[in-house]
Amino acid sequence: MSDDSVIQPWVAPSSTGCVECLAEGGWWLHLRRCASCGHVGCCDSSPSQHASHHAGHSGHPVVQSFEPGEDWFWDYRTEQFSDGPTLAPPAHHPLDQPTPGPQGRVPVDWQSHLH
Ligand SMILES: [Zn+2]
Ligand SMILES: [Zn+2]
Protein backbone atom coordinates (compact mmCIF):
# COMPACT_ATOMS: atom_id res chain seq x y z
CA MET A 1 0.00 0.00 0.00
CA SER A 2 1.48 3.38 -0.93
CA ASP A 3 1.63 6.10 1.67
CA ASP A 4 -0.97 8.13 -0.24
CA SER A 5 -3.60 5.43 0.14
CA VAL A 6 -2.86 4.31 3.71
CA ILE A 7 -4.97 6.99 5.41
CA GLN A 8 -8.57 7.22 4.20
CA PRO A 9 -9.96 10.21 6.12
CA TRP A 10 -13.57 9.80 4.97
CA VAL A 11 -13.93 6.22 6.30
CA ALA A 12 -15.98 6.18 9.51
CA PRO A 13 -15.08 3.90 12.45
CA SER A 14 -16.62 0.44 12.06
CA SER A 15 -17.76 0.09 15.68
CA THR A 16 -17.87 1.79 19.07
CA GLY A 17 -15.70 -0.98 20.54
CA CYS A 18 -13.20 -3.64 19.48
CA VAL A 19 -14.92 -5.61 16.73
CA GLU A 20 -13.34 -8.95 17.66
CA CYS A 21 -13.75 -8.53 21.44
CA LEU A 22 -17.43 -7.71 21.00
CA ALA A 23 -17.85 -10.79 18.80
CA GLU A 24 -15.91 -13.11 21.13
CA GLY A 25 -17.07 -11.79 24.50
CA GLY A 26 -13.70 -10.26 25.32
CA TRP A 27 -12.75 -6.90 26.79
CA TRP A 28 -10.19 -4.16 26.16
CA LEU A 29 -8.19 -1.46 27.86
CA HIS A 30 -7.86 1.13 25.08
CA LEU A 31 -9.11 1.29 21.51
CA ARG A 32 -7.35 1.97 18.22
CA ARG A 33 -8.95 2.81 14.90
CA CYS A 34 -7.50 1.66 11.57
CA ALA A 35 -6.82 4.72 9.42
CA SER A 36 -7.35 2.69 6.24
CA CYS A 37 -10.65 0.83 6.74
CA GLY A 38 -12.09 2.11 10.04
CA HIS A 39 -11.66 -1.21 11.90
CA VAL A 40 -11.79 -0.63 15.66
CA GLY A 41 -9.49 -2.91 17.65
CA CYS A 42 -7.97 -3.14 21.11
CA CYS A 43 -4.51 -1.85 22.03
CA ASP A 44 -1.34 -3.83 22.75
CA SER A 45 -1.93 -3.60 26.52
CA SER A 46 -5.29 -5.36 26.09
CA PRO A 47 -5.49 -9.16 26.48
CA SER A 48 -6.12 -9.87 22.78
CA GLN A 49 -4.23 -7.05 20.95
CA HIS A 50 -6.70 -7.03 18.06
CA ALA A 51 -5.52 -3.71 16.57
CA SER A 52 -2.01 -5.12 16.03
CA HIS A 53 -3.45 -8.35 14.64
CA HIS A 54 -5.59 -6.38 12.20
CA ALA A 55 -2.57 -4.39 11.02
CA GLY A 56 -0.60 -7.62 10.58
CA HIS A 57 -3.09 -9.57 8.52
CA SER A 58 -4.74 -6.71 6.61
CA GLY A 59 -1.59 -4.80 5.70
CA HIS A 60 -3.14 -1.61 7.09
CA PRO A 61 -0.17 -0.09 8.93
CA VAL A 62 -1.53 3.07 10.57
CA VAL A 63 -3.96 3.44 13.48
CA GLN A 64 -5.26 6.45 15.36
CA SER A 65 -6.17 6.42 19.03
CA PHE A 66 -9.93 5.97 19.53
CA GLU A 67 -9.74 7.35 23.06
CA PRO A 68 -11.37 10.66 24.09
CA GLY A 69 -8.90 13.55 23.98
CA GLU A 70 -6.26 11.66 21.99
CA ASP A 71 -5.56 12.33 18.29
CA TRP A 72 -2.18 10.70 17.72
CA PHE A 73 -1.45 8.21 14.97
CA TRP A 74 0.82 5.15 15.26
CA ASP A 75 2.66 3.66 12.31
CA TYR A 76 3.40 -0.08 12.74
CA ARG A 77 6.01 0.06 9.94
CA THR A 78 8.23 2.53 11.75
CA GLU A 79 6.88 1.84 15.27
CA GLN A 80 6.67 5.59 15.74
CA PHE A 81 3.95 8.09 16.52
CA SER A 82 2.95 10.16 13.52
CA ASP A 83 0.59 12.92 12.45
CA GLY A 84 -2.32 12.68 10.08
CA PRO A 85 -5.47 14.38 8.85
CA THR A 86 -8.73 14.69 10.76
CA LEU A 87 -10.63 11.45 10.23
CA ALA A 88 -14.38 11.04 9.77
CA PRO A 89 -16.29 11.26 13.09
CA PRO A 90 -16.69 9.96 15.69
CA ALA A 91 -13.07 10.55 16.80
CA HIS A 92 -13.38 8.39 19.91
CA HIS A 93 -15.57 5.78 21.58
CA PRO A 94 -18.76 6.96 23.35
CA LEU A 95 -17.98 8.92 26.52
CA ASP A 96 -20.31 6.73 28.58
CA GLN A 97 -18.36 3.60 27.63
CA PRO A 98 -16.06 2.64 30.50
CA THR A 99 -12.30 2.08 30.32
CA PRO A 100 -11.57 -0.76 30.40
CA GLY A 101 -14.66 -1.85 28.49
CA PRO A 102 -17.16 -2.91 27.54
CA GLN A 103 -19.55 -2.58 30.46
CA GLY A 104 -20.12 -5.86 32.27
CA ARG A 105 -17.34 -7.89 30.60
CA VAL A 106 -14.27 -6.73 32.48
CA PRO A 107 -13.02 -9.17 35.16
CA VAL A 108 -12.36 -7.86 38.66
CA ASP A 109 -8.66 -8.70 38.34
CA TRP A 110 -8.35 -7.06 34.89
CA GLN A 111 -5.02 -5.41 35.71
CA SER A 112 -3.35 -8.82 35.97
CA HIS A 113 -4.42 -9.62 32.37
CA LEU A 114 -2.72 -6.65 30.71
CA HIS A 115 0.34 -6.99 28.52
ZN1 LIG B 1 -10.02 -6.81 21.00
ZN1 LIG C 1 -7.86 -1.74 8.41
Side-chain angles (χ1 to χ4, degrees), residues 11-18 28-34 38-43 63-72 87-95 97 99:
V11 177
S14 63
S15 175
T16 57
C18 173
W28 57 78
L29 180 63
H30 292 136
L31 295 170
R32 308 290 176 243
R33 164 207 191 147
C34 176
H39 171 272
V40 175
C42 50
C43 71
V63 290
Q64 186 181 38
S65 176
F66 201 47
E67 294 298 315
E70 297 184 353
D71 64 357
W72 48 263
L87 304 182
H92 53 76
H93 66 74
L95 290 172
Q97 180 174 279
T99 299

Side-chain angles (χ1 to χ4, degrees), residues 34-39 54 58 60:
C34 176
S36 301
C37 72
H39 171 272
H54 173 77
S58 68
H60 298 161

Side-chain angles (χ1 to χ4, degrees), residues 34-91:
C34 176
S36 301
C37 72
H39 171 272
V40 175
C42 50
C43 71
D44 281 349
S45 296
S46 301
S48 302
Q49 305 178 318
H50 287 124
S52 286
H53 291 182
H54 173 77
H57 69 68
S58 68
H60 298 161
V62 177
V63 290
Q64 186 181 38
S65 176
F66 201 47
E67 294 298 315
E70 297 184 353
D71 64 357
W72 48 263
F73 288 77
W74 177 261
D75 191 324
Y76 287 102
R77 297 166 297 185
T78 59
E79 302 200 319
Q80 304 268 340
F81 291 102
S82 60
D83 294 319
T86 300
L87 304 182

Side-chain angles (χ1 to χ4, degrees), residues 1-8 36 59 61 77:
M1 197 173 260
S2 77
D3 264 19
D4 286 346
S5 62
V6 165
I7 296 179
Q8 308 281 346
S36 301
R77 297 166 297 185

